[in-house]
């Protein structure tokens, strides 16, 4: 078991004799085409002098609402059943509150015991070595923040046997206004890039803004997760807390035809869920 020593902020175990070759970074970094530095503090802060902020007096909470309870668990999980989610805003480096403020969760980094290991048929995967309660922040999906043009170039240059790690965050702000953020952890990333897709995941992705306008892609537990359970999320950005209905063994003629058309270009899904779509999503994205 190896413990990465290249980060003082967070660490995780690697249960394998071979170690994945990537440049490890717990946070997003500026990549080709990105006009914003993700580490630059650009959001205003509150003037709270208390150890933890209160809605009655905190400008951050009054503007964006309270996202976490006193234990740091995400309060609103109902939005995960829809196709959209609202971004979370945390207190930042310009705020006067302490580092122990209840509105500082994702910025504290990984606090759980996670283990990267070789799965039976899905390559690298991540499992937890401790129980994780519903709503708990698990880890971030961090990497290079790149432009649409660079994301497209990287996608087109990929070989068929290579994995597509790029996730697109599409944020709808008003009528017809869409902001897109592209994160690629293929060469620079953290433990989140080893998470596998599942059609019935136990994690969901939530955009969280801390210091910068560039959102962090935080992964939260969508239900109580058991010890040694593999951690997964839906690469297409979907999530539901409802147990899926049984999918019959026969598929409609339309679905079969679609599989025949896309099958040569799409990768098989091996998640084993009873609602499995058979193929990994073509578009890795979340909507907010």
């Amino acid at each position: 078991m190896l413990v990465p020593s290249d980060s003082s902020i967070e660490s995780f175990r690697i249960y394998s004799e071979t170690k994945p070759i990537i440049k490890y970074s717990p946070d997003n970094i500026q990549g080709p085409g990105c006009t914003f530095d993700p580490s630059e503090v650009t959001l205003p802060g509150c003037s709270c002098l208390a150890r933890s902020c209160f809605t009655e007096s905190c400008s951050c909470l009054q503007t964006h609402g309270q996202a976490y309870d006193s234990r740091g668990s995400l309060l609103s999980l109902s939005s995960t059943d829809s196709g959209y989610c609202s971004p979370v805003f945390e207190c930042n480096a310009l705020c006067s509150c302490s580092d122990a403020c209840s509105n500082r969760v994702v910025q504290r980094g990984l606090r759980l015991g996670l283990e990267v290991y070789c799965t039976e048929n899905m390559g690298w995967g991540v499992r937890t070595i401790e129980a994780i309660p519903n709503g708990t922040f698990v880890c971030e999906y961090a990497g290079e923040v790149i432009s649409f043009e660079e994301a497209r170039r990287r996608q087109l240059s990929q070989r068929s046997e290579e994995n597509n790690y790029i996730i697109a965050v599409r944020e709808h702000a008003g009528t017809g206004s869409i902001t897109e953020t592209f994160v690629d952890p293929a060469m620079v990333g953290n433990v989140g890039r080893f998470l596998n897709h599942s059609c019935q995941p136990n994690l969901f992705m939530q955009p969280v803004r801390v210091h910068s306008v560039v959102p962090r892609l935080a992964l939260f537990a969508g239900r109580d997760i058991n010890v040694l359970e593999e951690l997964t999320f839906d690469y297409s950005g979907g999530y539901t807390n409802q147990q899926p209905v049984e999918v019959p063994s026969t598929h409609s003629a339309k679905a079969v035809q679609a599989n025949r058309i896309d099958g040569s270009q799409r990768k098989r899904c091996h998640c084993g869920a009873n609602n499995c779509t058979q193929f990994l999503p073509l578009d890795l994205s979340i909507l907010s």
Side-chain angles (χ1 to χ4, degrees):
M1 296 181 183
L2 303 174
V3 179
S5 59
D6 43 1
S7 171
S8 59
I9 299 178
E10 62 183 40
S11 64
F12 54 91
R13 298 193 303 189
I14 300 180
Y15 189 79
S16 175
E17 293 181 358
T18 60
K19 186 177 180 180
I21 301 175
I22 63 165
K23 182 179 179 181
Y24 187 81
S25 174
D27 303 310
N28 287 327
I29 66 169
Q30 189 172 14
C34 178
T35 58
F36 298 98
D37 182 356
S39 63
E40 183 181 357
V41 182
T42 56
L43 297 178
C46 67
S47 56
C48 301
L49 299 178
R51 183 173 182 271
S52 187
C53 292
F54 298 94
T55 306
E56 295 78 12
S57 55
C58 176
S59 59
C60 293
L61 295 179
Q62 289 175 354
T63 302
H64 306 293
Q66 184 175 347
Y68 309 111
D69 63 19
S70 59
R71 299 171 299 173
S73 296
L74 200 63
L75 286 172
S76 178
L77 301 177
S78 59
S79 61
T80 60
D81 287 329
S82 67
Y84 298 87
C85 58
S86 299
V88 166
F89 288 79
E90 294 190 359
C91 289
N92 58 57
L94 296 182
C95 294
S96 303
C97 56
S98 74
D99 292 338
C101 176
S102 60
N103 198 38
R104 299 178 186 266
V105 175
V106 173
Q107 63 191 270
R108 294 175 189 161
L110 177 62
R111 291 293 182 266
L112 300 171
L114 304 184
E115 187 172 71
V116 175
Y117 72 109
C118 288
T119 66
E120 186 174 336
N121 55 9
M122 293 191 294
W124 293 104
V126 182
R127 60 191 174 195
T128 176
I129 57 176
E130 61 182 282
I132 304 177
N134 187 18
T136 301
F137 167 64
V138 176
C139 67
E140 196 174 333
Y141 193 88
E144 291 181 279
V145 181
I146 58 179
S147 65
F148 168 79
E149 291 76 17
E150 177 64 14
R152 186 64 176 164
R153 186 195 68 79
R154 294 186 182 187
Q155 276 190 325
L156 293 175
S157 64
Q158 281 183 333
R159 296 188 297 270
S160 58
E161 67 273 13
E162 292 180 323
N163 293 320
N164 175 27
Y165 295 100
I166 302 173
I167 279 190
V169 184
R170 296 183 178 90
E171 298 181 272
H172 297 250
T175 305
S177 177
I178 300 177
T179 302
E180 293 185 315
T181 304
F182 298 89
V183 178
D184 183 8
M187 299 304 296
V188 181
N190 67 344
V191 66
R193 57 98 67 197
F194 298 109
L195 292 167
N196 280 316
H197 164 83
S198 176
C199 298
Q200 188 180 344
N202 49 26
L203 303 179
F204 66 92
M205 189 171 279
Q206 170 72 51
V208 176
R209 283 186 168 82
V210 182
H211 313 297
S212 169
V213 293
V214 179
R216 297 189 180 192
L217 308 187
L219 289 148
F220 291 83
R223 59 170 173 79
D224 293 338
I225 303 175
N226 299 321
V227 177
L228 295 183
E229 186 176 346
E230 183 178 3
L231 301 174
T232 58
F233 73 103
D234 186 339
Y235 285 1
S236 67
Y239 185 86
T240 176
N241 285 310
Q242 303 299 320
Q243 293 295 323
V245 298
E246 289 290 335
V247 178
S249 58
T250 58
H251 299 274
S252 67
K254 185 176 180 180
V256 170
Q257 181 64 22
N259 286 343
R260 287 174 180 168
I261 294 173
D262 298 332
S264 61
Q265 300 178 357
R266 301 182 66 180
K267 295 185 179 181
R268 286 280 181 179
C269 179
H270 300 284
C271 71
N274 58 9
N275 65 330
C276 181
T277 59
Q278 299 188 57
F279 291 94
L280 295 181
L282 286 173
D283 184 24
L284 282 66
S285 64
I286 58 174
L287 303 175
S288 65

